[in-house]
Amino acid sequence: MSTSELAVSYAALILADEDIDITADKLQTLITAAKLTEVEPIWTTLFAKALAGKNVKDMLLNVGSGGGAAAAPTAGASGGAAATTDAPAEKEEEKKEEEKEESDEDMGFGLFD
């Protein structure tokens, strides 16, 4: 990460910590106050647009909980039989996906070759 990106990131964190809206002007003001002259204005505009309307504190607190697992299917009294017949089909799909991955390796090239 470049010095410019770090400076704008830290400025955005300071504004978020103080519950101040993150704008390009406010980011540039903080960067100027820190006497960093090599930061191009495009970085402040980019960060301001990317963080507009977002709660940075919540983003930081939820870093590791992004995707999550898919919900498990629930089988009721009438849906129990249907759920058991779908299980072998799912296993076959998984095997096909694994076979596709293995076929790439059989071509004789890899990531570190």
Side-chain angles (χ1 to χ4, degrees):
M1 193 177 272
S2 70
T3 305
S4 299
E5 291 174 85
L6 281 173
V8 179
S9 297
Y10 289 140
L13 289 172
I14 291 168
L15 291 173
D17 191 46
E18 295 296 323
D19 293 325
I20 299 172
D21 289 334
I22 299 171
T23 65
D25 292 334
K26 291 176 183 173
L27 290 170
Q28 191 63 44
T29 302
L30 278 172
I31 292 167
T32 305
K35 298 180 184 174
L36 295 170
T37 57
E38 69 272 358
V39 178
E40 297 176 19
I42 187 70
W43 289 112
T44 56
T45 305
L46 226 146
F47 272 72
K49 285 183 180 179
L51 298 173
K54 295 190 174 63
N55 188 342
V56 177
K57 289 180 182 178
D58 285 343
M59 288 173 37
L60 290 172
L61 293 174
N62 297 321
V63 169
S65 63
T74 57
S78 62
T84 57
T85 58
D86 290 340
E90 290 177 7
K91 289 181 183 178
E92 289 176 16
E93 289 178 17
E94 289 177 10
K95 287 180 183 177
K96 288 180 183 178
E97 289 178 12
E98 289 177 10
E99 289 174 8
K100 288 179 185 177
E101 291 176 11
E102 291 173 4
S103 66
D104 291 343
E105 293 174 1
D106 295 334
M107 290 183 188
F109 59 90
L111 181 63
F112 299 106
D113 290 340

